[in-house]
């Protein structure tokens, strides 16, 4: 039987997302706190003569996921092989549960999973710092998806530092139909802040102390997202959803990343199930923080 490795990798949400004025390279400086949530894609890789990829959508629409060499999974495999000077190829399969183009880093986490999976398959034992640097080449969120947990993201989001947290946080994750393009949301952010100018982003000390204390209710008051006005402009229905969640008792509610997924912070699983019932189209209930990309099966 041929060898194969399967890696589980989480969705992320942004507890805060401070965005500064666009840089000369087209990216925006960020000050964010990422949290990995208990909603996972699985990526499986096997040795093959040529690269290929298939995608299965577990209750979600995957028609927009590329199935050629532009998929982050195959780009990750190529990047790692080139890094080690290997002439290896993979047959890859993604089992997708994370909504596509939702602001949950679904594509990024598949790239993170592929790095970890190929590293195990080829026995390359890439040092952590090297793996994070390769992850940064794939995308701004990819290093966090390798790391998991809760972490501050700076630079364009690719520089990650773990954050001390206590306890568990319970979230309702409400995907919205249709998805939003990340570059389109950042582009609108630029236009909306053209006159007033975007401030240099900072992370609130209150948010970090709520995380240290395991204080969900306090954390709820500190959630923020500078991309939210742009996401609301493109999707006016989102503001209404946040109101519904807050009226139902959530401690805090925000658009995550570039949207359109909205997330609702709750006290417990029971509280989250209760808040989730307030929506016409209920979302998912997930616990956080969870692990980053990790091997769950290795057949040799
Ligand atoms: O890094 P990643 O490939 O995920 O970024 C996708 C797009 O999101 C970029 O091409 C850019 O338009 C936007 N982006 C940005 N500033 C960031 C991160 C992403 O403008 N810090």
């Amino acid at each position: 039987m041929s060898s194969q490795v399967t890696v589980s990798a989480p969705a992320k949400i942004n507890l805060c997302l401070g965005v500064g004025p666009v840089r000369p390279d087209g990216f925006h400086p960020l000050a964010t706190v990422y949290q990995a949530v208990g909603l996972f894609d699985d990526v499986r890789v096997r040795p093959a003569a040529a690269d290929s990829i298939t995608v299965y959508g577990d209750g979600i629409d995957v028609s927009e996921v590329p199935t050629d060499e532009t998929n982050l999974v195959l780009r990750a495999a190529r990047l790692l092989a080139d890094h080690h000077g290997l002439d290896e190829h993979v047959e890859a399969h993604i089992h997708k549960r994370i909504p596509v183009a939702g602001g949950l880093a679904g594509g990024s986490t598949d790239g993170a999973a592929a790095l970890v999976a190929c590293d195990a398959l080829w026995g390359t034992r890439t040092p952590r710092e090297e793996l994070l640097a390769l992850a940064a080449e794939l995308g701004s969120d990819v290093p966090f998806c390798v790391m998991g947990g809760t972490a501050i993201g700076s630079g364009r989001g690719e520089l990650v530092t773990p954050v001390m947290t206590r306890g568990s946080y319970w979230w309702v994750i409400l995907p919205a139909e249709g998805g939003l393009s990340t570059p389109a949301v950042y582009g609108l952010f630029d236009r909306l802040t053209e006159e007033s100018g975007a401030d240099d982003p900072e992370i609130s000390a209150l948010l970090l102390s709520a995380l240290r204390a395991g204080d969900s209710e306090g954390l709820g008051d500190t959630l923020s997202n500078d991309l939210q006005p742009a996401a609301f402009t493109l999707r006016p229905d989102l503001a209404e959803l946040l109101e519904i969640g807050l009226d139902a008792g959530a401690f805090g509610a925000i658009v995550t990343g570039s949207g359109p997924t909205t997330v609702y912070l709750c006290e417990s699983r029971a509280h989250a199930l209760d808040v989730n019932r307030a929506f016409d189209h209920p979302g998912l209930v997930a616990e956080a923080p969870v692990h980053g990309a990790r091997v769950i099966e290795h057949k040799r």
Side-chain angles (χ1 to χ4, degrees), residues 44 52-56 67 91-95:
R44 187 191 71 207
S52 69
I53 185 154
T54 51
V55 184
Y56 169 73
T67 50
E91 176 196 312
H93 180 73
I94 311 178
H95 186 112

Side-chain angles (χ1 to χ4, degrees), residues 10 70 111 147 156 179 242 261:
T70 64
M147 179 181 269
R156 60 180 164 84
L242 296 186
T261 303

